[in-house]
Amino acid sequence: MSALPTRTVGPFEVSALGLGCMNLSHAYQPRPAEEVGEALVNQAIDLGVTFLDTAALYGGGRNEELVGRVLRTRRDEVVLASKGVMHLVDGTKVIDGRPESIKQNCEDSLRRLGVDVIDLYYLHRWDKQVPIAESVGAVAQLVEQGKVRAIGLSEVSVDRLGEAQRVHPIAAVQNEYSLWTRNAEIAMLEACERSGIALVAFSPLGRGMLTGAVRDPQLLPTGDIRRPMPRFQPENFGHNLALVDQLAELAREAGCTPAQLALAWLLHRSPSVVPIPGTTSSEHLRENAAATQVRLDEDLARQVDELINQRTVAGSRYQDAQLDEVDAETF
């Protein structure tokens, strides 16, 4: 096993890049066979990735089961993160932050993962019908019972983070953060740095867009989460693709790939940031891991920063219905 640089998430030392496991079972198409997904998670651990991220929602629990099969022999090699509150009921997504629901979510996740304790357990969304203090209080009880080691929040605002912190220490906030989604820079990144909280960046490669691999969104398979997203619509896509092509030119000059440059930019941004790129490709997994070796000088970081940001990207990150589900600050 090779060693990757490390960063801190709550009480844990983890690889500076984690692995988001979602797209092995959920949201993106095509999905790999489960044995292929298991092999990829094993390869990630072999490469030195020690931070795995899954959730009850992903595949209606199938993703946790997949990760759990890998962990049968490798549990002590990783810090395991999962999420509750948002899950599937009879195939329909439900956001339920009531304490009794959270506790049942956690029990179900423990069973599917085949573990006694989840290292980092997130509220996947804030249920706006329930005070966040009540939801966090339920997870705090799970900590007391030894079923969870640390608490995280996802897609929340600084105000909600403050409310949660008054109930229990928060180890991590997982919000979308990448070159083309900068909402974290409004307030959350600074709040995390100030409080010693990790900002776990999901979709750090812009849902694959920043890699340069998506050239025609109409070719994305039916059922792929990106098809209806505003940034992938015809009126926005061409503009955004031109930015990505310019990013690729900067990457060539820097001697790395666009994906590596985008990840290196995030790592350069703050030591509090821990990106968790997902992939279904063994080659891309190795490519992402190698991004930890890319060193950005201030001039290159500035060029990348000015090229792709909230002012230059066309379209919002979610459709209106999805935006209504999140609490994170928005431009």
Side-chain angles (χ1 to χ4, degrees), residues 32-54:
E34 295 211 341
E35 60 271 20
V36 173
E38 290 175 39
L40 190 137
V41 177
N42 272 305
Q43 181 188 4
I45 300 172
D46 291 341
L47 287 169
V49 173
T50 62
F51 189 33
L52 303 182
D53 184 271
T54 182

Side-chain angles (χ1 to χ4, degrees), residues 56 61 64-65 87-88 101-114 118 121:
E64 288 182 320
E65 292 171 348
H87 56 283
L88 295 182
S101 178
I102 289 172
K103 292 174 183 177
Q104 186 60 56
N105 278 182
C106 185
E107 292 291 346
D108 293 342
S109 289
L110 288 166
R111 173 179 49 80
R112 287 189 293 261
L113 289 161
I118 296 169
Y121 194 65

Side-chain angles (χ1 to χ4, degrees), residues 14-316:
V14 303
S15 52
L17 282 180
L19 177 67
C21 299
M22 179 185 76
N23 53 354
L24 300 176
S25 313
H26 189 81
Y28 296 97
Q29 298 285 356
R31 295 173 198 151
E34 295 211 341
E35 60 271 20
V36 173
E38 290 175 39
L40 190 137
V41 177
N42 272 305
Q43 181 188 4
I45 300 172
D46 291 341
L47 287 169
V49 173
T50 62
F51 189 33
L52 303 182
D53 184 271
T54 182
L57 176 70
Y58 302 158
R62 290 192 301 277
N63 193 250
E64 288 182 320
E65 292 171 348
L66 184 157
V67 171
R69 288 192 291 273
V70 174
L71 296 184
R72 288 173 188 168
T73 58
R74 311 196 73 166
R75 178 66 182 94
D76 61 350
E77 297 180 59
V78 302
V79 172
L80 172 64
S82 193
K83 313 178 196 73
V85 173
M86 190 158 64
H87 56 283
L88 295 182
V89 176
D90 297 328
T92 300
K93 183 174 69 177
V94 171
I95 297 176
D96 186 351
R98 295 174 299 163
E100 59 271 27
S101 178
I102 289 172
K103 292 174 183 177
Q104 186 60 56
N105 278 182
C106 185
E107 292 291 346
D108 293 342
S109 289
L110 288 166
R111 173 179 49 80
R112 287 189 293 261
L113 289 161
V115 299
D116 296 324
V117 59
I118 296 169
D119 298 315
L120 176 61
Y121 194 65
Y122 294 94
L123 303 183
H124 204 160
R125 290 292 186 272
W126 170 43
D127 180 353
K128 298 177 183 180
Q129 305 304 310
V130 180
I132 198 165
E134 292 185 16
S135 298
V136 172
V139 188
Q141 292 179 17
L142 295 169
V143 173
E144 293 173 0
Q145 295 167 8
K147 297 175 180 179
V148 168
R149 290 196 171 104
I151 300 178
L153 307 173
S154 181
E155 287 282 32
V156 296
S157 64
V158 170
D159 285 346
R160 228 58 58 211
L161 172 60
E163 293 173 17
Q165 286 177 296
R166 288 192 283 274
V167 177
H168 192 278
I170 301 300
V173 171
Q174 183 177 143
N175 284 6
E176 184 173 355
Y177 188 28
S178 68
L179 278 168
W180 81 342
T181 298
R182 302 291 195 92
N183 302 62
E185 294 177 359
I186 298 173
M188 184 56 76
L189 178 57
E190 181 181 354
C192 286
E193 290 173 334
R194 186 171 58 246
S195 297
I197 294 171
L199 178 58
V200 177
F202 78 83
S203 294
L205 295 174
R207 303 187 183 279
M209 185 68 181
L210 299 177
T211 69
V214 182
R215 309 299 299 181
D216 183 353
Q218 300 306 309
L219 297 180
L220 293 171
T222 301
D224 191 292
I225 193 175
R226 293 168 289 187
R227 284 186 67 91
M229 287 182 167
R231 291 177 180 175
F232 292 87
Q233 298 311 297
E235 63 271 22
N236 297 322
F237 185 81
H239 172 88
N240 294 334
L241 183 60
L243 296 176
V244 170
D245 287 343
Q246 293 176 68
L247 180 71
E249 181 57 37
L250 288 176
R252 279 192 290 272
E253 294 174 6
C256 63
T257 68
Q260 289 170 338
L261 184 56
L263 291 171
W265 176 86
L266 267 178
L267 292 168
H268 179 83
R269 200 70 171 167
S270 170
S272 296
V273 175
V274 181
I276 51 168
T279 184
T280 60
S281 162
S282 175
E283 178 183 354
H284 292 163
L285 184 66
R286 292 191 298 272
E287 176 187 352
N288 292 345
T292 60
Q293 304 304 315
V294 175
R295 296 292 175 260
L296 269 64
D297 60 39
E298 291 303 324
D299 181 61
L300 178 57
R302 178 188 55 78
Q303 291 182 68
V304 172
D305 183 70
E306 292 177 354
L307 174 63
I308 301 180
N309 57 61
Q310 76 278 3
R311 296 181 303 276
T312 64
V313 169
S316 62

